[in-house]
Structures are given as C-alpha cells and as structure tokens.
Amino acid sequence: MTDGPSPDSQTLPGELARQLEALGGQLVWRIGKDEASEDVVVRLGFASATPRFAHLPRLRSAGDQELQAALDGGRVVIEWVD
C-alpha cells in the first residue's frame, strides 16, 4: 500500500475511493501464463481464499512484454477464486 491516495483514486468521490482502497487491501492475486495456452490468467480473490490458490493449476511466470502482448491480443482471462 502507498501512504497517499493513488493517482486514479483522485478522480473518484472520496467515499468510493476509501472503499476501493479498503477492498484492495483484502485481495490477493496471482498473474501468469496458463500452461495449456498462451493466455495470461489473473486470479483474484479475498485473502481468506488464499489456501484455495494452491489447488489450482500452476501458472508460468510472464514478463512485462508477454503481459503487454496478451493485453494487446485480448488473451487475458480473469478468474475469481472463492
């Protein structure tokens, strides 16, 4: 977390920005490439779901260029982990 508001939160109403900051502090995520495809997978969930991340298929690490190429090519998959 940063000490001050993020640049994006400066354009949001104060209460919404505070709520989003609080929510962000409760989330965990993992970003990587799917072993079976070239898709970049973003797994996102509440901190209480952290143990369940270990039971999901492994993701390969992806560098910045690979992430940008996936974004540009529409090959990003977002998974919510309960």
Side-chain angles (χ1 to χ4, degrees), residues 22-29 44-56 80-82:
L23 177 62
Q26 298 176 31
L27 297 175
V28 293
W29 58 88
L44 178 68
F46 287 111
S48 59
T50 300
R52 290 185 280 284
F53 278 69
H55 298 288
L56 297 171
W80 180 257
V81 179
D82 285 328

Side-chain angles (χ1 to χ4, degrees):
M1 285 264 135
T2 60
D3 291 337
S6 66
D8 292 337
S9 68
Q10 293 177 1
T11 61
L12 297 173
E15 182 59 27
L16 178 58
R18 283 189 289 281
Q19 289 177 358
L20 289 174
E21 286 288 333
L23 177 62
Q26 298 176 31
L27 297 175
V28 293
W29 58 88
R30 173 78 170 110
I31 300 172
K33 291 185 87 171
D34 187 336
E35 290 188 350
S37 72
E38 289 301 306
D39 292 342
V40 168
V41 177
V42 178
R43 292 188 177 139
L44 178 68
F46 287 111
S48 59
T50 300
R52 290 185 280 284
F53 278 69
H55 298 288
L56 297 171
R58 292 186 58 85
L59 298 174
R60 295 182 285 127
S61 62
D64 290 344
Q65 290 179 335
E66 292 174 297
L67 294 174
Q68 188 61 54
L71 282 169
D72 295 342
R75 295 184 327 272
V76 177
V77 177
I78 299 175
E79 298 177 352
W80 180 257
V81 179
D82 285 328

